[in-house]
Amino acid sequence: MRSGWLLILSFLLHMATIDSTSIRLEPSGGHQGRVEIYYNGWGTICDDMFGFQEAVVICRMLGYKLVVAKAYSSAHFGEGGGTILMDSLQCSGSETDIANCHFDGWGKNDCSHSEDAGVSCSELHMRLAGGSGPYEGRLEVQNTADVWGEVVNTSVTASDAVGICRTLGLGTFGKIVDGTKFVQGAHTQFRGNLTCVINGECDSDPFIQTHGAPLGIECAHTPVRLVDGRYPLEGRVEVLHNGIWGTVCAEHFTPLDAKMICTSLGVDMSHQNATVYSNGEFGKGSGPSWLSNVQCTGSEKDFLECRNTSWSYHTCTSGNAAAIACPQTKIRLDGGVGPWEGRLDVYHGGRWGSVCSQGFGQPEADVVCRMLGYNARDVVAEILPNSYYRHVEHRAILLDQLGCQGTEADIEFCRTQDWGVTNCSSTQEVGVRCETKNIRLVGGSHSLEGRVEVKVNGSWSTICDDDWNDVDAMTVCRSLLQYPIDGDVIGKAYHGGVFGRGTGQVALSGVQCVGSEEDLFQCPTTGKRRVNCDHTRDAGVACYIQGYNTTLVGSTNITSDKEGSIHISGNAICDESWDEDDARSVCRSLGYWSSSPTVYLDNWFGSSSGGGNNISPHCRGNEANLVFCPLAKEWGKVTCSTGDIAGVRCNPTPLGYRRVRLENGDQPGRGRLLVEYNSNWGYVCHNGWTERDTVVVCRMLRYRSYNMTSTALSKGTTNPMLIGKVDCHGNETDIGLCKANLDKSNCTDTVVGLDCTDNVKARLVNGSTALDGHLEVFKDGQWGMVCSSAVDTTDAKVFCNMLGYSHTKPILKTFTGAESHVSVNQVTCEGWEEHIGQCLHQSVSGSGCSHNDTYVSLQCFNCSSSYSTETGEIYSMNYPQNYENNADCLYAIIPPSNGVYGLVIQDLLMRDGEDFIDIREEPNGPSLGTFSHGDVFPVIPGRKFYVRFQTNGAGTEKGFRITWKPLTLEDAMTLNCGSTTWNAVVNMTMLKSLYPNIGVSDIYLSDQSCTGTVVDDLVVFQQSYTECSSSKTTTDSEIIYHNQLVSPNSATSFPVIVHGYRWRVDIDCKVKRQTNVTHNYIPIAPTATQTIDSGHHHLSGSSNYDIHLAFYQDPGFYQQIQGNPITTHIGDNVYVKVVVNTNDPEVKMRLNTCVAKPTADAGPALTYPLIANGCVVDQDTTILSQSSHETKFLFNAFEFPANHNSVVVSCNATFCRTDELTSRCLQTCQSRRSNDETMITRTNLHKLITIYISQDEGRNSI
């Protein structure tokens, strides 16, 4: 390709017409020859006085820019004909036309054609490579032999850097930097005469091969980026000005403007055009609109070169920001299951070709995946072996020896040699897979089943099940499997939090995959901003595989279903890297869900012939199928001999007593069945459950009843559906010894519920409180007393367990005189039991106890009390004095109404972590919270509360104080004002206690589109103060932003019209103009039982604008001095930039005061002012520039007197509205006034000092 390009170039250059003079090289044309010019006919030039300068002018006329020119005499290229038109030609070298040089006159000469002059012209090329754009990088040059190399940093001057940038059309500022910070491209190194290159007047090749440190150059430029596009070279145009990213107005934005931007990003636009988007296709952006109507011609490389670059806060007529798409190199991945994987193909010169694997590393793969539209945050690029993908024909290799940094927008930017230049063979074609890294399945019974979680902004989040279907599920499964297995996978979608509730954010809603995407992040969604879901609707997935059925072959005994050689779809599996985890995955696929397998190698069972499939699995042991494991070798591509076949024996093993439990029953021994499997506690599907299974589980839980029953119960919300079907014979001692199917595709929303107790229950009656009294047991359909001779304290603990109180120290009493049915007259327990149905012995009679026996009265706690008021408070014993050792107290709070109440821990101080309070809504219910220490506690909602206080004997403290009252709307909301965002938080658990039918998207700021983000059970509003129809007012001390949190009274989310509101809450954030941050909360209480609230409520808070200070060592503010503190010399200039972090273009910052101290807490006597009241007061300090969001100044480094070895710099800023005209907002002091008598003077010595940025002045000071 390159030689063809040179032929075309030669044809174009052999004759040039500039102004009225035509010139050509003969006889062959090209880059050298006899010079002929046209003046009333073609003629030649005499070689008298003809030399290098004349040759330079002629080469420039022929189109050469960075030229190596050489003059020839004596008809070196042969004698011409016609008139000798010029003689005694003398040029300075700067002329653009040979006719402008001095000569004797047209046709006047004393020469013959044996003196005809000739020239040779060689073009040099220069570029900056390996940086983030064409304006920076290692300096690379192409010499006259067409060899590219990088220039070493030898005797290169600052003026050379400026000249290089100017020559490359990159402005008039440039600086030398360390070239090693950029990615290496060319491997040859040159030293050379850069001056002649910059001037375009070299008389010989200026570059000589050498070795050394690479030269890096940075040229001034306007930072430009393309935002929110799927591909790297498309998106909304944003430019950086005054430290703030802003947009360009779409009005008057032309394809020529777009062409300039693409050029500035490094795209060769010489024969291409860009696409312009003007209707907000990539969003409006959040920053100011910095530019409008820039009027570029398309030939520029920076906004600064365009005709109308006026930096200002523009008001865009349409409200839309300009967006573009630059042309990029066409690439594809061929031969895989989908467009995310395959051999890498590139398109160039009208044909597709491949890429050599030599030098192709992770950075190159990263660039490829981004070019294909895969976000680097979500996808990891995997490089695959040569010819990994089958069934693709070999193509010519078009790219070799790429040198990417990994951040490039196009693989074209990584070329280190020309297209088609390679020494690779066709077997070295590289393959790439763009594999998801931010999707996982959690809570399932195996690795490819569970709740779908995606990583967003570094945190794992769930997906709402709106529109969730099997195509979405298949997309997830395919992204988690390898080629070619990913082409045979089927996904099943699950709804309603089948695999348990997640935590964190609900990130996506309304996912609508079509099946061709690599992962969910590429699928369209309808609910990124409107996620009307909480974690009860987390989406789930189960993956199944087609055509990979597992069988065991070759056993000769009755255990044939448990052992044999492994065959999948008729293919034996090789034993390379075969281990117990691999074998366990095979057993699980055969129904042996709990097993300790025996591994066999070397075709132990002798059942295979003809070799096997060598996949070298690396299972983790939790896969449901061998093909779900990571495979070191591609499926079906590598074989092994008959003697290397793997085998297994599946040995069922018990789960164990502690991995099975019953939950949420009204007493122990009853409730939903939970099994711990694959590190998760989960439910068992009720479909297919038999009484044989019930007997095995109850016996496993050590219940001795002969009347054990099962029932279908609704699934709980906190745990996953884990097991699809259990198949027990009934004689097993552990459920793990039964077979089980992990497939839940036939399950409904009901799970297994068990009653292992024969409906035996206990209660306390006729006590002084509800927490003590006569013990009665329900047995055989009636309540009866318990004989005191049958019960000791160990048995009493079990009765307390039945009542919902575990690990107690019960107090036994007796009573007489009752004439009642007796349920229990003998029981023997060991103390570990939860229910007397687990005790070793029990006998029942219907008459009474033995002669002179009494009945049991039981108190489970050594102190207890009951409360039935709407509001109140409880204390630990002796509060606020120290509580007693070994206390075990229960406080029952049962308000008179059925409303919702809020319980708050007002004070808590325990001796250690073994002293605690535990809060529940029911004695046998789940814990609402266990606390042993802390300063701030949440409001706990509930209709009643049981508070248990337990201490050990290791010492005492003052204990706790708890209050309760009816729950209010204010209890569900908090406001923590940030420097730029609202940070309003709604607790949905509490809010739903007051408004049960409310959804998370039934709450929004004034603009209906401004919904919150779901995080756990919270809805968080972090919108900017400048969004969501916010308004603001200004006082002398604060800029106050206003908005409302509202909930429309509507049966649907996002109603088109609103007739009223359930409630409205005014929110105000007061951002201090100078003072430090404080917070307060001022509520207006609503009625707790209301359903429609026409009143307003109010939340307010305070904050400071967030400002930052940074030091630089150069006046261009390019070289930031990192760290705090920094070290510099006395007498050196220190350049300081102060920036405010705000996206409000109507707020401006005015630097008020900057002082220096030897320490942060130094007093006024040691406080030295640099700037006061916005004006410079130190003679060696200068304010360089000031804009609305940024101030730059410099000071001359100094030190304080003896015993102080550091300087602390602290600045304070005032914030104003941009239209504010008060004196403090109209800062006019822009530089020092050397003749001002108020100026402070000082003397400096040259030595090292340390400078700190002050950290203790609040967020508003530095």
Side-chain angles (χ1 to χ4, degrees):
M1 285 300 296
R2 185 159 179 78
S3 60
W5 180 84
L6 285 174
L7 289 174
I8 295 172
L9 182 67
S10 299
F11 173 77
L12 293 173
L13 296 182
H14 90 283
M15 183 179 74
T17 300
I18 302 177
D19 296 329
S20 59
T21 305
S22 296
I23 193 167
R24 66 187 183 189
L25 300 181
E26 291 292 345
S28 61
H31 70 282
Q32 63 182 9
R34 181 179 61 253
V35 182
E36 295 190 357
I37 56 176
Y38 189 88
Y39 184 79
N40 295 326
W42 288 100
T44 61
I45 299 175
C46 180
D47 62 10
D48 290 345
M49 305 185 72
F50 188 89
F52 169 67
Q53 301 294 349
E54 292 71 32
V56 167
V57 174
I58 291 170
C59 289
R60 282 215 197 95
M61 290 178 68
L62 291 169
Y64 293 89
K65 295 179 180 178
L66 304 181
V67 64
V68 176
K70 186 174 182 180
Y72 293 88
S73 59
S74 305
H76 181 83
F77 297 102
E79 295 183 4
T83 306
I84 298 174
L85 292 174
M86 287 186 167
D87 190 9
S88 302
L89 182 65
Q90 298 180 62
C91 301
S92 66
S94 62
E95 295 87 353
T96 59
D97 192 316
I98 196 78
N100 295 330
C101 300
H102 178 76
F103 63 102
D104 289 345
W106 292 107
K108 296 181 179 179
N109 68 86
D110 57 359
C111 303
S112 68
H113 281 295
S114 63
E115 300 174 84
D116 284 344
V119 299
S120 66
C121 306
S122 298
E123 182 77 73
L124 299 172
H125 296 280
M126 185 164 57
R127 66 190 180 197
L128 299 179
S132 57
Y135 47 82
E136 66 175 8
R138 300 187 184 207
L139 179 63
E140 293 185 352
V141 295
Q142 187 184 42
N143 64 9
T144 56
D146 290 339
V147 175
W148 279 98
E150 62 181 21
V151 178
V152 300
N153 190 359
T154 303
S155 302
V156 181
T157 67
S159 61
D160 291 334
V162 172
I164 289 166
C165 293
R166 185 178 61 247
T167 301
L168 292 173
L170 297 172
T172 57
F173 177 84
K175 62 180 180 180
I176 300 170
V177 296
D178 180 9
T180 60
K181 68 188 257 188
F182 305 114
V183 174
Q184 183 178 8
H187 293 276
T188 303
Q189 289 190 312
F190 294 132
R191 64 177 174 85
N193 180 1
L194 290 176
T195 301
C196 82
V197 177
I198 293 168
N199 294 331
E201 298 179 358
C202 296
D203 58 1
S204 63
D205 192 333
F207 299 112
I208 302 172
Q209 285 197 30
T210 188
H211 296 286
L215 171 65
I217 299 291
E218 288 183 1
C219 303
H221 70 287
T222 303
V224 180
R225 67 185 183 188
L226 302 180
V227 180
D228 290 341
R230 178 179 175 184
Y231 302 98
L233 287 174
E234 72 172 15
R236 181 178 65 254
V237 179
E238 292 193 354
V239 291
L240 185 67
H241 180 63
N242 285 343
I244 299 175
W245 285 100
T247 60
V248 178
C249 288
E251 294 86 16
H252 311 297
F253 188 86
T254 70
L256 294 178
D257 303 329
K259 189 172 185 178
M260 178 279 297
I261 293 170
C262 294
T263 300
S264 74
L265 293 172
V267 181
D268 181 4
M269 298 298 293
S270 56
H271 302 290
Q272 302 184 95
N273 294 311
T275 303
V276 174
Y277 300 94
S278 303
N279 297 315
E281 289 87 348
F282 298 97
K284 295 181 179 180
S286 57
S289 297
W290 283 129
L291 293 171
S292 179
N293 192 22
V294 290
Q295 300 181 19
C296 302
T297 64
S299 61
E300 305 89 347
K301 295 183 179 179
D302 195 281
F303 273 107
L304 299 176
E305 301 174 39
C306 298
R307 285 176 286 182
N308 187 30
T309 306
S310 175
W311 298 97
S312 181
Y313 292 109
H314 293 274
T315 300
C316 302
T317 304
S318 69
N320 290 327
I324 66 171
C326 301
Q328 73 168 33
T329 304
K330 291 181 181 179
I331 65 171
R332 68 185 182 191
L333 300 178
D334 189 23
V337 170
W340 58 86
E341 64 180 1
R343 184 192 61 202
L344 174 59
D345 287 351
V346 293
Y347 188 83
H348 181 74
R351 61 172 178 160
W352 285 99
S354 59
V355 178
C356 180
S357 59
Q358 288 184 164
F360 192 96
Q362 193 61 47
E364 288 74 25
D366 291 342
V367 172
V368 167
C369 288
R370 275 205 318 279
M371 288 179 68
L372 292 169
Y374 298 105
N375 193 312
R377 294 189 303 270
D378 308 321
V379 167
V380 61
E382 180 185 5
I383 304 169
L384 292 162
N386 300 333
S387 303
Y388 183 87
Y389 292 99
R390 296 166 285 175
H391 314 304
V392 288
E393 62 178 271
H394 293 300
R395 295 185 180 276
I397 292 179
L398 294 182
L399 284 178
D400 189 6
Q401 295 296 334
L402 296 171
C404 296
Q405 186 175 7
T407 58
E408 293 84 355
D410 195 306
I411 203 167
E412 160 75 11
F413 302 165
C414 307
R415 283 195 303 112
T416 63
Q417 54 193 40
D418 290 327
W419 288 92
V421 176
T422 182
N423 59 0
C424 292
S425 70
S426 60
T427 61
Q428 294 176 283
E429 298 169 329
V430 73
V432 172
R433 175 182 167 95
C434 303
E435 181 177 358
T436 182
K437 64 179 179 180
N438 286 342
I439 299 177
R440 69 182 184 184
L441 299 179
V442 179
S445 56
H446 59 85
S447 60
L448 283 175
E449 172 188 88
R451 179 178 62 253
V452 184
E453 294 189 352
V454 294
K455 186 176 280 189
V456 178
N457 298 326
S459 299
W460 287 104
S461 307
T462 63
I463 296 176
C464 177
D465 63 10
D466 279 344
D467 301 324
W468 187 250
N469 61 31
D470 289 348
V471 176
D472 307 322
M474 180 188 68
T475 301
V476 172
C477 295
R478 201 166 50 198
S479 69
L480 298 174
L481 284 168
Q482 294 175 261
Y483 174 85
I485 311 297
D486 55 354
D488 298 312
V489 71
I490 297 173
K492 178 171 175 56
Y494 286 92
H495 301 80
V498 165
F499 295 104
R501 289 186 181 184
T503 59
Q505 181 179 346
V506 180
L508 298 174
S509 179
V511 176
Q512 297 179 338
C513 301
V514 298
S516 61
E517 302 88 352
E518 153 63 8
D519 59 46
L520 292 182
F521 294 100
Q522 288 195 310
C523 299
T525 61
T526 60
K528 282 186 178 179
R529 295 289 294 173
R530 295 186 172 191
V531 180
N532 193 27
C533 265
D534 57 23
H535 288 296
T536 61
R537 295 181 54 194
D538 285 342
V541 160
C543 304
Y544 304 92
I545 200 75
Q546 298 181 105
Y548 294 84
N549 300 318
T550 302
T551 56
L552 300 181
V553 178
S555 176
T556 58
N557 56 44
I558 59 174
T559 62
S560 58
D561 65 330
K562 295 182 180 179
E563 69 176 21
S565 295
I566 302 162
H567 286 239
I568 298 182
S569 298
N571 297 310
I573 302 301
C574 303
D575 60 11
E576 181 178 319
S577 74
W578 188 251
D579 62 19
E580 188 172 323
D581 284 335
D582 307 326
R584 186 173 289 110
S585 296
V586 170
C587 292
R588 190 175 284 114
S589 69
L590 296 171
Y592 298 103
W593 64 310
S594 178
S595 68
S596 179
T598 303
V599 173
Y600 293 93
L601 307 175
D602 303 327
N603 199 11
W604 173 272
F605 294 97
S607 58
S608 300
S609 60
N613 190 356
N614 191 359
I615 55 176
S616 187
H618 293 279
C619 302
R620 294 178 290 271
N622 63 346
E623 296 87 355
N625 194 306
L626 186 64
V627 297
F628 286 173
C629 301
L631 308 180
K633 296 182 178 179
E634 182 189 344
W635 182 273
K637 191 172 183 180
V638 183
T639 61
C640 65
S641 68
T642 303
D644 296 320
I645 304 303
V648 67
R649 173 182 292 161
C650 300
N651 306 308
T653 55
L655 276 186
Y657 163 71
R658 298 188 180 279
R659 294 177 64 186
V660 175
R661 70 175 187 233
L662 303 178
E663 70 152 19
N664 290 345
D666 57 359
Q667 66 167 341
R670 303 175 68 175
R672 299 181 182 91
L673 173 61
L674 277 174
V675 177
E676 186 186 19
Y677 189 67
N678 194 29
S679 300
N680 299 302
W681 282 95
Y683 302 111
V684 179
C685 177
H686 185 263
N687 282 359
W689 184 264
T690 69
E691 291 308 309
R692 297 190 306 273
D693 306 327
T694 300
V695 169
V696 172
V697 173
C698 288
R699 290 280 184 258
M700 184 179 177
L701 293 172
R702 306 183 193 180
Y703 283 88
R704 304 177 181 279
S705 169
Y706 291 99
N707 186 20
M708 304 166 179
T709 60
S710 66
T711 186
L713 297 177
S714 61
K715 176 185 170 295
T717 58
T718 57
N719 295 101
M721 185 82 80
L722 209 56
I723 308 299
K725 184 179 184 300
V726 174
D727 186 10
C728 297
H729 296 294
N731 59 353
E732 296 89 348
T733 58
D734 188 289
I735 194 174
L737 301 176
C738 306
K739 293 185 76 170
N741 192 340
L742 305 181
D743 182 2
K744 289 166 279 293
S745 58
N746 295 321
C747 292
T748 64
D749 290 333
T750 59
V751 300
V752 172
L754 297 181
D755 183 355
C756 300
T757 68
D758 196 14
N759 200 27
V760 175
K761 297 179 284 189
R763 71 182 181 186
L764 299 176
V765 297
N766 300 330
S768 59
T769 71
L771 307 176
D772 63 78
H774 300 168
L775 175 62
E776 291 188 349
V777 172
F778 187 82
K779 176 69 175 176
D780 297 328
Q782 58 183 321
W783 289 99
M785 299 295 185
V786 178
C787 300
S788 60
S789 62
V791 178
D792 60 16
T793 54
T794 300
D795 306 323
K797 284 185 178 182
V798 178
F799 281 111
C800 288
N801 283 340
M802 291 178 67
L803 294 168
Y805 312 123
S806 61
H807 307 293
T808 61
K809 300 174 183 177
I811 300 172
L812 277 173
K813 297 180 181 180
T814 63
F815 68 96
T816 61
E819 294 184 3
S820 176
H821 174 79
V822 172
S823 293
V824 178
N825 62 15
Q826 184 178 358
V827 60
T828 304
C829 301
E830 297 178 5
W832 58 265
E833 300 90 344
E834 297 178 321
H835 192 280
I836 62 169
Q838 296 170 305
C839 295
L840 291 176
H841 301 288
Q842 59 176 323
S843 59
V844 178
S845 68
S847 54
C849 300
S850 61
H851 182 65
N852 294 327
D853 203 353
T854 55
Y855 303 105
V856 172
S857 180
L858 181 61
Q859 181 179 329
C860 293
F861 298 93
N862 55 28
C863 65
S864 61
S865 54
S866 182
Y867 304 85
S868 58
T869 57
E870 288 275 326
T871 63
E873 61 183 357
I874 56 175
Y875 312 90
S876 55
M877 62 188 75
N878 304 325
Y879 179 89
Q881 303 303 316
N882 287 6
Y883 53 74
E884 298 178 4
N885 282 317
N886 299 310
D888 192 6
C889 303
L890 186 69
Y891 306 83
I893 303 170
I894 307 174
S897 70
N898 194 34
V900 182
Y901 295 83
L903 183 144
V904 179
I905 302 172
Q906 302 290 354
D907 190 16
L908 179 66
L909 184 60
M910 301 291 187
R911 177 70 176 182
D912 55 40
E914 294 184 12
D915 295 354
F916 62 89
I917 55 175
D918 179 72
I919 303 169
R920 299 172 187 257
E921 198 167 10
E922 296 287 350
N924 273 303
S927 175
L928 302 178
T930 300
F931 306 93
S932 61
H933 64 276
D935 298 318
V936 180
F937 303 95
V939 177
I940 300 175
R943 299 188 183 276
K944 52 187 174 179
F945 305 98
Y946 291 84
V947 180
R948 184 173 178 181
F949 173 47
Q950 198 167 22
T951 71
N952 60 20
T956 65
E957 273 292 353
K958 70 176 180 178
F960 70 88
R961 181 172 71 91
I962 290 176
T963 62
W964 72 91
K965 66 179 182 64
L967 192 70
T968 64
L969 182 61
E970 287 78 6
D971 294 323
M973 298 182 184
T974 57
L975 178 65
N976 300 292
C977 298
S979 61
T980 60
T981 57
W982 289 105
N983 296 338
V985 180
V986 179
N987 185 309
M988 291 303 297
T989 299
M990 285 190 277
L991 189 62
K992 284 187 174 183
S993 299
L994 299 172
Y995 301 92
N997 296 322
I998 198 168
V1000 296
S1001 288
D1002 294 334
I1003 313 164
Y1004 50 83
L1005 293 172
S1006 296
D1007 187 331
Q1008 192 185 79
S1009 66
C1010 290
T1011 55
T1013 299
V1014 178
V1015 181
D1016 296 330
D1017 68 337
L1018 306 177
V1019 182
V1020 182
F1021 296 84
Q1022 290 186 310
Q1023 285 85 351
S1024 167
Y1025 293 142
T1026 59
E1027 299 176 316
C1028 306
S1029 303
S1030 301
S1031 61
K1032 64 174 174 280
T1033 57
T1034 305
T1035 69
D1036 286 342
S1037 60
E1038 300 163 331
I1039 296 177
I1040 308 172
Y1041 294 92
H1042 310 280
N1043 212 305
Q1044 282 189 333
L1045 277 173
V1046 300
S1047 177
N1049 183 28
S1050 172
T1052 62
S1053 301
F1054 315 116
V1056 177
I1057 60 173
V1058 176
H1059 290 289
Y1061 293 89
R1062 296 183 181 93
W1063 44 261
R1064 288 180 289 178
V1065 180
D1066 291 327
I1067 56 174
D1068 296 333
C1069 279
K1070 303 171 183 178
V1071 184
K1072 303 296 183 182
R1073 298 178 70 169
Q1074 278 190 299
T1075 56
N1076 293 336
V1077 63
T1078 59
H1079 292 281
N1080 57 75
Y1081 173 42
I1082 308 173
I1084 301 174
T1087 303
T1089 58
Q1090 66 192 36
T1091 57
I1092 302 298
D1093 183 358
S1094 59
H1096 283 208
H1097 306 273
H1098 185 229
L1099 294 172
S1100 68
S1102 300
S1103 183
N1104 279 34
Y1105 286 108
D1106 187 15
I1107 58 178
H1108 301 275
L1109 181 150
F1111 295 122
Y1112 293 79
Q1113 62 186 21
D1114 65 301
F1117 288 83
Y1118 280 97
Q1119 302 175 58
Q1120 183 176 350
I1121 308 173
Q1122 301 291 342
N1124 186 21
I1126 67 167
T1127 301
T1128 188
H1129 288 91
I1130 290 180
D1132 287 352
N1133 283 335
V1134 179
Y1135 296 87
V1136 185
K1137 180 163 68 173
V1138 183
V1139 180
V1140 59
N1141 178 26
T1142 179
N1143 52 15
D1144 189 346
E1146 296 180 354
V1147 169
K1148 62 183 177 182
M1149 177 185 73
R1150 286 294 174 256
L1151 196 62
N1152 186 36
T1153 300
C1154 284
V1155 299
K1157 305 176 183 180
T1159 62
D1161 57 355
L1166 287 174
T1167 299
Y1168 183 84
L1170 304 175
I1171 298 171
N1173 298 320
C1175 297
V1176 170
V1177 293
D1178 170 56
Q1179 69 166 358
D1180 294 306
T1181 298
T1182 303
I1183 295 178
L1184 301 173
S1185 65
Q1186 183 149 327
S1187 62
S1188 60
H1189 291 165
E1190 177 186 273
T1191 296
K1192 295 177 180 177
F1193 70 92
L1194 71 85
F1195 70 91
N1196 195 266
F1198 58 92
E1199 70 171 346
F1200 283 90
N1203 300 322
H1204 298 295
N1205 58 5
S1206 63
V1207 176
V1208 177
V1209 177
S1210 174
C1211 293
N1212 179 274
T1214 298
F1215 298 92
C1216 310
R1217 292 175 67 112
T1218 52
D1219 57 358
E1220 199 168 345
L1221 301 179
T1222 59
S1223 59
R1224 64 177 175 176
C1225 296
L1226 293 174
Q1227 182 172 327
T1228 57
C1229 303
Q1230 290 295 315
S1231 62
R1232 70 169 185 254
R1233 294 166 293 167
S1234 58
N1235 60 346
D1236 193 331
E1237 295 180 359
T1238 65
M1239 281 298 201
I1240 301 172
T1241 60
R1242 52 185 164 84
T1243 302
N1244 294 321
L1245 299 174
H1246 191 75
K1247 73 175 192 178
L1248 283 172
I1249 63 167
T1250 302
I1251 300 180
Y1252 290 83
I1253 303 174
S1254 175
Q1255 300 289 356
D1256 65 342
E1257 300 290 330
R1259 295 184 71 190
N1260 197 44
S1261 300
I1262 324 173

